[in-house]
Amino acid sequence: MSRFFDPPQAKPLLPKEKIDKVYKSMRFRVFMGAFLGYAAYYLVRKNLSLAAPGMIEEGIVDKAGVGIAMSAVSIAYAFSKFIMGSISDRSDARKFLVVGLILSALTMIGVGLVPFGANQAFNVTLIFIFMLLVGWLSGMGWPPCGRVMAYWFSQNERSFKMSLWNTSHTLGSGSLGLLMTFGLFIFGILGIEQAWRAAFIVPASVALLLAIFCWWALRDTPQSCGLPPIDEYRNDFSGVKAKKGEEEKIPFKTLFVEYIFKNKWIWMIALANAFVYMVRYGVGDWAPVYLQEMNIMTAKESNLAFALHNYAGIPGTIICGWISSKFFKGRCAPPNIIFMGAVLLGTVVYWQAGNLAALMATDPAAISALTKTFVYFGLILIGFCIYGPVALVTVQALNLVPKNAVGTAAGFVGLSGYAFGSAVLANILMGFVAEHAGWNTTFILLSAASLMAMLLCAVTLKSEK
């Protein structure tokens, strides 16, 4: 089994007249495999966020318990992404991604079938264990995609292409909300009680189908298809090079110590990523619970808001990447600062519009369409602007290391984002604060996190000069 994931050997070079045609075809094919593959991982990662309102209403868990359970995904994913990143640098991207996706989907279906009891502490523990497993398996998603993007797309096109690719998780997250609504409809027709289980079962089933497509579409490197390396094909040798003798495989100690631990800019980028992720998941993960608990929206409306929040990230990420390439010559920090400033504005709008709607919620009919529109607007503005920095913070880290160390670099930055930003700040801290201090305090924390992300991105401007 240890040899199963070994990358395929390079094939003899194709005839010169075929290279351009095959290269163009394969680049589109592997891009779509990485795009839909990573989108599928988001169909089996944040399902608990949508199931939580129903589970809380039935007394299975409370908000603090949901926060603890949700943190398991981020904690496990953070360490898995880091460790799996190093392993993926030595593995076949195709096998790595597909195997992880299948196991993640089967695990999430298992959560949807568990018969929970009346003991909340036991329920939280059980869900935590399942989410821990899902989070660990999710770490097999990003690293092989990063490997594919590094080997099939060269340095001077990578920020824009990775921005395009990075919209995959917004597509996946948004589709999760719509699939939940579809699942509620199907469960209603079938007369199945505890309809929140649809949030786990229906999206995971779709993910299994997408795994089949990914197996067909993905290939590890151009060399494994009889093609020359991407830098030769595009005559772009601008990327960071490995030291002599380390071009093919860098020892883990060298990967981490030389390229990560001793690089102060990687540390700054990682800390900025933590605050970006706090806002990303602090808003997205808690939106369904917040909107339904405060009687601002119904379950269907909050699912739609969740979907629109994520879908807005698709054009936002593309535009952010385009700005980076068009106006800043591939530099990532300047657009990150601009977009996080807009995120701060969106957070304030969402916060105050929600407060106004909550004041009127004693009489749901009194909540005006205009007030809900501002709630939607705030969520959409945050979604539009947050995913550009999510993409470019990582791209900035990748640009500071050679391409055969991208998995480790991405894993380290992701470790900060998920373990500290998502698990500790967005899930555990916000769940505790929401339960004991109220939602207004959580929005103060989110606003402060947006500001900190802007300041840290400003500090990293020097690393790109």
PDB file of all heavy atoms in Angstrom, residues 188-218:
ATOM      1  N   GLY A 188     -38.669  15.347   3.029  1.00  0.00           N
ATOM      2  CA  GLY A 188     -40.065  15.683   3.307  1.00  0.00           C
ATOM      3  C   GLY A 188     -41.014  14.795   2.524  1.00  0.00           C
ATOM      4  O   GLY A 188     -42.025  14.325   3.053  1.00  0.00           O
ATOM      5  N   ILE A 189     -40.699  14.557   1.244  1.00  0.00           N
ATOM      6  CA  ILE A 189     -41.540  13.696   0.408  1.00  0.00           C
ATOM      7  C   ILE A 189     -41.564  12.272   0.960  1.00  0.00           C
ATOM      8  O   ILE A 189     -42.609  11.609   0.987  1.00  0.00           O
ATOM      9  CB  ILE A 189     -41.024  13.694  -1.054  1.00  0.00           C
ATOM     10  CG1 ILE A 189     -41.253  15.066  -1.698  1.00  0.00           C
ATOM     11  CG2 ILE A 189     -41.714  12.603  -1.869  1.00  0.00           C
ATOM     12  CD1 ILE A 189     -40.711  15.173  -3.100  1.00  0.00           C
ATOM     13  N   LEU A 190     -40.394  11.804   1.404  1.00  0.00           N
ATOM     14  CA  LEU A 190     -40.290  10.442   1.919  1.00  0.00           C
ATOM     15  C   LEU A 190     -40.811  10.304   3.352  1.00  0.00           C
ATOM     16  O   LEU A 190     -40.899   9.193   3.881  1.00  0.00           O
ATOM     17  CB  LEU A 190     -38.826   9.978   1.863  1.00  0.00           C
ATOM     18  CG  LEU A 190     -38.191   9.905   0.466  1.00  0.00           C
ATOM     19  CD1 LEU A 190     -36.714   9.518   0.567  1.00  0.00           C
ATOM     20  CD2 LEU A 190     -38.947   8.900  -0.413  1.00  0.00           C
ATOM     21  N   GLY A 191     -41.126  11.441   3.972  1.00  0.00           N
ATOM     22  CA  GLY A 191     -41.643  11.405   5.333  1.00  0.00           C
ATOM     23  C   GLY A 191     -40.595  11.045   6.373  1.00  0.00           C
ATOM     24  O   GLY A 191     -40.913  10.498   7.430  1.00  0.00           O
ATOM     25  N   ILE A 192     -39.334  11.350   6.090  1.00  0.00           N
ATOM     26  CA  ILE A 192     -38.242  11.030   7.007  1.00  0.00           C
ATOM     27  C   ILE A 192     -38.118  12.141   8.048  1.00  0.00           C
ATOM     28  O   ILE A 192     -37.984  13.314   7.699  1.00  0.00           O
ATOM     29  CB  ILE A 192     -36.913  10.864   6.247  1.00  0.00           C
ATOM     30  CG1 ILE A 192     -37.029   9.724   5.237  1.00  0.00           C
ATOM     31  CG2 ILE A 192     -35.762  10.583   7.219  1.00  0.00           C
ATOM     32  CD1 ILE A 192     -35.796   9.567   4.349  1.00  0.00           C
ATOM     33  N   GLU A 193     -38.177  11.763   9.322  1.00  0.00           N
ATOM     34  CA  GLU A 193     -37.983  12.738  10.386  1.00  0.00           C
ATOM     35  C   GLU A 193     -36.502  13.082  10.527  1.00  0.00           C
ATOM     36  O   GLU A 193     -35.645  12.452   9.928  1.00  0.00           O
ATOM     37  CB  GLU A 193     -38.530  12.184  11.703  1.00  0.00           C
ATOM     38  CG  GLU A 193     -40.039  11.941  11.678  1.00  0.00           C
ATOM     39  CD  GLU A 193     -40.548  11.438  13.020  1.00  0.00           C
ATOM     40  OE1 GLU A 193     -39.723  11.245  13.930  1.00  0.00           O
ATOM     41  OE2 GLU A 193     -41.774  11.246  13.132  1.00  0.00           O
ATOM     42  N   GLN A 194     -36.213  14.083  11.352  1.00  0.00           N
ATOM     43  CA  GLN A 194     -34.835  14.569  11.520  1.00  0.00           C
ATOM     44  C   GLN A 194     -34.223  14.893  10.143  1.00  0.00           C
ATOM     45  O   GLN A 194     -33.201  14.351   9.734  1.00  0.00           O
ATOM     46  CB  GLN A 194     -33.971  13.535  12.248  1.00  0.00           C
ATOM     47  CG  GLN A 194     -34.423  13.285  13.690  1.00  0.00           C
ATOM     48  CD  GLN A 194     -33.488  12.353  14.433  1.00  0.00           C
ATOM     49  OE1 GLN A 194     -33.116  11.298  13.937  1.00  0.00           O
ATOM     50  NE2 GLN A 194     -33.107  12.751  15.644  1.00  0.00           N
ATOM     51  N   ALA A 195     -34.879  15.837   9.461  1.00  0.00           N
ATOM     52  CA  ALA A 195     -34.476  16.183   8.104  1.00  0.00           C
ATOM     53  C   ALA A 195     -33.069  16.763   8.036  1.00  0.00           C
ATOM     54  O   ALA A 195     -32.457  16.807   6.963  1.00  0.00           O
ATOM     55  CB  ALA A 195     -35.482  17.173   7.513  1.00  0.00           C
ATOM     56  N   TRP A 196     -32.509  17.221   9.175  1.00  0.00           N
ATOM     57  CA  TRP A 196     -31.147  17.753   9.180  1.00  0.00           C
ATOM     58  C   TRP A 196     -30.127  16.719   8.726  1.00  0.00           C
ATOM     59  O   TRP A 196     -29.018  17.063   8.297  1.00  0.00           O
ATOM     60  CB  TRP A 196     -30.787  18.264  10.580  1.00  0.00           C
ATOM     61  CG  TRP A 196     -31.001  17.291  11.696  1.00  0.00           C
ATOM     62  CD1 TRP A 196     -32.085  17.228  12.521  1.00  0.00           C
ATOM     63  CD2 TRP A 196     -30.115  16.242  12.109  1.00  0.00           C
ATOM     64  NE1 TRP A 196     -31.933  16.207  13.427  1.00  0.00           N
ATOM     65  CE2 TRP A 196     -30.734  15.589  13.201  1.00  0.00           C
ATOM     66  CE3 TRP A 196     -28.862  15.797  11.676  1.00  0.00           C
ATOM     67  CZ2 TRP A 196     -30.147  14.508  13.855  1.00  0.00           C
ATOM     68  CZ3 TRP A 196     -28.275  14.727  12.325  1.00  0.00           C
ATOM     69  CH2 TRP A 196     -28.913  14.085  13.395  1.00  0.00           C
ATOM     70  N   ARG A 197     -30.505  15.417   8.799  1.00  0.00           N
ATOM     71  CA  ARG A 197     -29.579  14.370   8.347  1.00  0.00           C
ATOM     72  C   ARG A 197     -29.272  14.489   6.852  1.00  0.00           C
ATOM     73  O   ARG A 197     -28.253  13.996   6.370  1.00  0.00           O
ATOM     74  CB  ARG A 197     -30.150  12.990   8.662  1.00  0.00           C
ATOM     75  CG  ARG A 197     -30.256  12.689  10.160  1.00  0.00           C
ATOM     76  CD  ARG A 197     -30.784  11.279  10.408  1.00  0.00           C
ATOM     77  NE  ARG A 197     -30.962  11.018  11.837  1.00  0.00           N
ATOM     78  CZ  ARG A 197     -29.995  10.601  12.650  1.00  0.00           C
ATOM     79  NH1 ARG A 197     -28.781  10.388  12.162  1.00  0.00           N
ATOM     80  NH2 ARG A 197     -30.243  10.378  13.928  1.00  0.00           N
ATOM     81  N   ALA A 198     -30.174  15.143   6.119  1.00  0.00           N
ATOM     82  CA  ALA A 198     -29.949  15.341   4.682  1.00  0.00           C
ATOM     83  C   ALA A 198     -28.688  16.145   4.420  1.00  0.00           C
ATOM     84  O   ALA A 198     -28.044  15.992   3.378  1.00  0.00           O
ATOM     85  CB  ALA A 198     -31.152  16.052   4.062  1.00  0.00           C
ATOM     86  N   ALA A 199     -28.308  17.018   5.362  1.00  0.00           N
ATOM     87  CA  ALA A 199     -27.098  17.838   5.191  1.00  0.00           C
ATOM     88  C   ALA A 199     -25.850  16.973   5.100  1.00  0.00           C
ATOM     89  O   ALA A 199     -24.849  17.377   4.497  1.00  0.00           O
ATOM     90  CB  ALA A 199     -26.963  18.822   6.355  1.00  0.00           C
ATOM     91  N   PHE A 200     -25.883  15.790   5.693  1.00  0.00           N
ATOM     92  CA  PHE A 200     -24.737  14.893   5.644  1.00  0.00           C
ATOM     93  C   PHE A 200     -24.813  13.916   4.466  1.00  0.00           C
ATOM     94  O   PHE A 200     -23.835  13.706   3.751  1.00  0.00           O
ATOM     95  CB  PHE A 200     -24.647  14.088   6.953  1.00  0.00           C
ATOM     96  CG  PHE A 200     -24.443  14.928   8.175  1.00  0.00           C
ATOM     97  CD1 PHE A 200     -25.464  15.131   9.085  1.00  0.00           C
ATOM     98  CD2 PHE A 200     -23.214  15.523   8.422  1.00  0.00           C
ATOM     99  CE1 PHE A 200     -25.282  15.899  10.218  1.00  0.00           C
ATOM    100  CE2 PHE A 200     -23.012  16.301   9.551  1.00  0.00           C
ATOM    101  CZ  PHE A 200     -24.048  16.490  10.458  1.00  0.00           C
ATOM    102  N   ILE A 201     -25.975  13.341   4.248  1.00  0.00           N
ATOM    103  CA  ILE A 201     -26.103  12.226   3.300  1.00  0.00           C
ATOM    104  C   ILE A 201     -26.122  12.675   1.845  1.00  0.00           C
ATOM    105  O   ILE A 201     -25.413  12.112   0.999  1.00  0.00           O
ATOM    106  CB  ILE A 201     -27.366  11.409   3.628  1.00  0.00           C
ATOM    107  CG1 ILE A 201     -27.234  10.781   5.018  1.00  0.00           C
ATOM    108  CG2 ILE A 201     -27.602  10.328   2.584  1.00  0.00           C
ATOM    109  CD1 ILE A 201     -28.494  10.095   5.527  1.00  0.00           C
ATOM    110  N   VAL A 202     -26.941  13.681   1.526  1.00  0.00           N
ATOM    111  CA  VAL A 202     -27.125  14.071   0.122  1.00  0.00           C
ATOM    112  C   VAL A 202     -25.846  14.646  -0.504  1.00  0.00           C
ATOM    113  O   VAL A 202     -25.409  14.188  -1.568  1.00  0.00           O
ATOM    114  CB  VAL A 202     -28.299  15.059  -0.015  1.00  0.00           C
ATOM    115  CG1 VAL A 202     -28.422  15.564  -1.452  1.00  0.00           C
ATOM    116  CG2 VAL A 202     -29.602  14.384   0.424  1.00  0.00           C
ATOM    117  N   PRO A 203     -25.185  15.653   0.106  1.00  0.00           N
ATOM    118  CA  PRO A 203     -23.950  16.176  -0.507  1.00  0.00           C
ATOM    119  C   PRO A 203     -22.845  15.127  -0.616  1.00  0.00           C
ATOM    120  O   PRO A 203     -22.096  15.113  -1.601  1.00  0.00           O
ATOM    121  CB  PRO A 203     -23.538  17.304   0.454  1.00  0.00           C
ATOM    122  CG  PRO A 203     -24.797  17.691   1.149  1.00  0.00           C
ATOM    123  CD  PRO A 203     -25.556  16.426   1.317  1.00  0.00           C
ATOM    124  N   ALA A 204     -22.728  14.234   0.376  1.00  0.00           N
ATOM    125  CA  ALA A 204     -21.688  13.209   0.333  1.00  0.00           C
ATOM    126  C   ALA A 204     -21.905  12.248  -0.832  1.00  0.00           C
ATOM    127  O   ALA A 204     -20.942  11.759  -1.445  1.00  0.00           O
ATOM    128  CB  ALA A 204     -21.654  12.447   1.652  1.00  0.00           C
ATOM    129  N   SER A 205     -23.162  11.972  -1.149  1.00  0.00           N
ATOM    130  CA  SER A 205     -23.467  11.090  -2.282  1.00  0.00           C
ATOM    131  C   SER A 205     -23.022  11.724  -3.599  1.00  0.00           C
ATOM    132  O   SER A 205     -22.495  11.046  -4.488  1.00  0.00           O
ATOM    133  CB  SER A 205     -24.967  10.784  -2.316  1.00  0.00           C
ATOM    134  OG  SER A 205     -25.379  10.147  -1.119  1.00  0.00           O
ATOM    135  N   VAL A 206     -23.222  13.029  -3.721  1.00  0.00           N
ATOM    136  CA  VAL A 206     -22.771  13.746  -4.922  1.00  0.00           C
ATOM    137  C   VAL A 206     -21.242  13.738  -5.004  1.00  0.00           C
ATOM    138  O   VAL A 206     -20.662  13.587  -6.085  1.00  0.00           O
ATOM    139  CB  VAL A 206     -23.303  15.195  -4.913  1.00  0.00           C
ATOM    140  CG1 VAL A 206     -22.740  15.992  -6.095  1.00  0.00           C
ATOM    141  CG2 VAL A 206     -24.827  15.203  -4.952  1.00  0.00           C
ATOM    142  N   ALA A 207     -20.581  13.861  -3.861  1.00  0.00           N
ATOM    143  CA  ALA A 207     -19.109  13.842  -3.828  1.00  0.00           C
ATOM    144  C   ALA A 207     -18.559  12.526  -4.352  1.00  0.00           C
ATOM    145  O   ALA A 207     -17.517  12.492  -5.030  1.00  0.00           O
ATOM    146  CB  ALA A 207     -18.620  14.099  -2.409  1.00  0.00           C
ATOM    147  N   LEU A 208     -19.223  11.428  -4.051  1.00  0.00           N
ATOM    148  CA  LEU A 208     -18.778  10.124  -4.548  1.00  0.00           C
ATOM    149  C   LEU A 208     -18.822  10.073  -6.079  1.00  0.00           C
ATOM    150  O   LEU A 208     -17.927   9.505  -6.718  1.00  0.00           O
ATOM    151  CB  LEU A 208     -19.655   9.010  -3.963  1.00  0.00           C
ATOM    152  CG  LEU A 208     -19.432   8.676  -2.485  1.00  0.00           C
ATOM    153  CD1 LEU A 208     -20.460   7.651  -2.023  1.00  0.00           C
ATOM    154  CD2 LEU A 208     -18.013   8.147  -2.254  1.00  0.00           C
ATOM    155  N   LEU A 209     -19.845  10.679  -6.663  1.00  0.00           N
ATOM    156  CA  LEU A 209     -19.938  10.721  -8.122  1.00  0.00           C
ATOM    157  C   LEU A 209     -18.807  11.563  -8.723  1.00  0.00           C
ATOM    158  O   LEU A 209     -18.233  11.206  -9.764  1.00  0.00           O
ATOM    159  CB  LEU A 209     -21.299  11.277  -8.547  1.00  0.00           C
ATOM    160  CG  LEU A 209     -22.529  10.448  -8.150  1.00  0.00           C
ATOM    161  CD1 LEU A 209     -23.812  11.169  -8.562  1.00  0.00           C
ATOM    162  CD2 LEU A 209     -22.472   9.062  -8.801  1.00  0.00           C
ATOM    163  N   LEU A 210     -18.487  12.670  -8.075  1.00  0.00           N
ATOM    164  CA  LEU A 210     -17.423  13.537  -8.581  1.00  0.00           C
ATOM    165  C   LEU A 210     -16.054  12.861  -8.473  1.00  0.00           C
ATOM    166  O   LEU A 210     -15.148  13.150  -9.261  1.00  0.00           O
ATOM    167  CB  LEU A 210     -17.419  14.862  -7.826  1.00  0.00           C
ATOM    168  CG  LEU A 210     -18.586  15.797  -8.139  1.00  0.00           C
ATOM    169  CD1 LEU A 210     -18.571  17.010  -7.225  1.00  0.00           C
ATOM    170  CD2 LEU A 210     -18.539  16.247  -9.600  1.00  0.00           C
ATOM    171  N   ALA A 211     -15.887  11.960  -7.513  1.00  0.00           N
ATOM    172  CA  ALA A 211     -14.624  11.232  -7.380  1.00  0.00           C
ATOM    173  C   ALA A 211     -14.334  10.411  -8.636  1.00  0.00           C
ATOM    174  O   ALA A 211     -13.173  10.258  -9.041  1.00  0.00           O
ATOM    175  CB  ALA A 211     -14.667  10.332  -6.147  1.00  0.00           C
ATOM    176  N   ILE A 212     -15.384   9.878  -9.255  1.00  0.00           N
ATOM    177  CA  ILE A 212     -15.212   9.092 -10.489  1.00  0.00           C
ATOM    178  C   ILE A 212     -14.677   9.977 -11.605  1.00  0.00           C
ATOM    179  O   ILE A 212     -13.761   9.594 -12.349  1.00  0.00           O
ATOM    180  CB  ILE A 212     -16.555   8.457 -10.904  1.00  0.00           C
ATOM    181  CG1 ILE A 212     -17.038   7.496  -9.821  1.00  0.00           C
ATOM    182  CG2 ILE A 212     -16.415   7.736 -12.245  1.00  0.00           C
ATOM    183  CD1 ILE A 212     -18.436   6.940 -10.051  1.00  0.00           C
ATOM    184  N   PHE A 213     -15.232  11.196 -11.737  1.00  0.00           N
ATOM    185  CA  PHE A 213     -14.742  12.130 -12.749  1.00  0.00           C
ATOM    186  C   PHE A 213     -13.279  12.487 -12.523  1.00  0.00           C
ATOM    187  O   PHE A 213     -12.483  12.556 -13.463  1.00  0.00           O
ATOM    188  CB  PHE A 213     -15.602  13.394 -12.750  1.00  0.00           C
ATOM    189  CG  PHE A 213     -15.040  14.505 -13.593  1.00  0.00           C
ATOM    190  CD1 PHE A 213     -15.221  14.503 -14.966  1.00  0.00           C
ATOM    191  CD2 PHE A 213     -14.300  15.534 -13.019  1.00  0.00           C
ATOM    192  CE1 PHE A 213     -14.678  15.515 -15.750  1.00  0.00           C
ATOM    193  CE2 PHE A 213     -13.759  16.542 -13.797  1.00  0.00           C
ATOM    194  CZ  PHE A 213     -13.952  16.539 -15.169  1.00  0.00           C
ATOM    195  N   CYS A 214     -12.911  12.716 -11.280  1.00  0.00           N
ATOM    196  CA  CYS A 214     -11.543  13.115 -10.954  1.00  0.00           C
ATOM    197  C   CYS A 214     -10.541  12.022 -11.323  1.00  0.00           C
ATOM    198  O   CYS A 214      -9.422  12.321 -11.744  1.00  0.00           O
ATOM    199  CB  CYS A 214     -11.429  13.457  -9.466  1.00  0.00           C
ATOM    200  SG  CYS A 214     -12.348  14.927  -8.996  1.00  0.00           S
ATOM    201  N   TRP A 215     -10.927  10.781 -11.132  1.00  0.00           N
ATOM    202  CA  TRP A 215     -10.029   9.674 -11.502  1.00  0.00           C
ATOM    203  C   TRP A 215      -9.742   9.709 -13.003  1.00  0.00           C
ATOM    204  O   TRP A 215      -8.619   9.431 -13.438  1.00  0.00           O
ATOM    205  CB  TRP A 215     -10.649   8.345 -11.107  1.00  0.00           C
ATOM    206  CG  TRP A 215      -9.755   7.175 -11.386  1.00  0.00           C
ATOM    207  CD1 TRP A 215      -9.807   6.317 -12.447  1.00  0.00           C
ATOM    208  CD2 TRP A 215      -8.634   6.761 -10.602  1.00  0.00           C
ATOM    209  NE1 TRP A 215      -8.801   5.395 -12.369  1.00  0.00           N
ATOM    210  CE2 TRP A 215      -8.062   5.634 -11.246  1.00  0.00           C
ATOM    211  CE3 TRP A 215      -8.055   7.234  -9.427  1.00  0.00           C
ATOM    212  CZ2 TRP A 215      -6.943   4.980 -10.745  1.00  0.00           C
ATOM    213  CZ3 TRP A 215      -6.944   6.569  -8.922  1.00  0.00           C
ATOM    214  CH2 TRP A 215      -6.399   5.465  -9.579  1.00  0.00           C
ATOM    215  N   TRP A 216     -10.760  10.076 -13.799  1.00  0.00           N
ATOM    216  CA  TRP A 216     -10.564  10.155 -15.251  1.00  0.00           C
ATOM    217  C   TRP A 216      -9.742  11.386 -15.636  1.00  0.00           C
ATOM    218  O   TRP A 216      -8.881  11.320 -16.518  1.00  0.00           O
ATOM    219  CB  TRP A 216     -11.936  10.220 -15.946  1.00  0.00           C
ATOM    220  CG  TRP A 216     -11.825  10.550 -17.405  1.00  0.00           C
ATOM    221  CD1 TRP A 216     -11.538   9.705 -18.421  1.00  0.00           C
ATOM    222  CD2 TRP A 216     -11.980  11.844 -18.001  1.00  0.00           C
ATOM    223  NE1 TRP A 216     -11.490  10.383 -19.616  1.00  0.00           N
ATOM    224  CE2 TRP A 216     -11.761  11.702 -19.384  1.00  0.00           C
ATOM    225  CE3 TRP A 216     -12.275  13.114 -17.494  1.00  0.00           C
ATOM    226  CZ2 TRP A 216     -11.842  12.770 -20.268  1.00  0.00           C
ATOM    227  CZ3 TRP A 216     -12.347  14.176 -18.371  1.00  0.00           C
ATOM    228  CH2 TRP A 216     -12.144  14.004 -19.738  1.00  0.00           C
ATOM    229  N   ALA A 217      -9.974  12.511 -14.985  1.00  0.00           N
ATOM    230  CA  ALA A 217      -9.415  13.783 -15.442  1.00  0.00           C
ATOM    231  C   ALA A 217      -7.987  14.045 -14.993  1.00  0.00           C
ATOM    232  O   ALA A 217      -7.195  14.619 -15.743  1.00  0.00           O
ATOM    233  CB  ALA A 217     -10.313  14.934 -14.976  1.00  0.00           C
ATOM    234  N   LEU A 218      -7.636  13.681 -13.780  1.00  0.00           N
ATOM    235  CA  LEU A 218      -6.362  14.099 -13.206  1.00  0.00           C
ATOM    236  C   LEU A 218      -5.172  13.270 -13.701  1.00  0.00           C
ATOM    237  O   LEU A 218      -5.297  12.071 -13.953  1.00  0.00           O
ATOM    238  CB  LEU A 218      -6.417  14.025 -11.680  1.00  0.00           C
ATOM    239  CG  LEU A 218      -7.220  15.118 -10.974  1.00  0.00           C
ATOM    240  CD1 LEU A 218      -7.369  14.790  -9.502  1.00  0.00           C
ATOM    241  CD2 LEU A 218      -6.537  16.470 -11.148  1.00  0.00           C
TER     242      LEU A 218
END
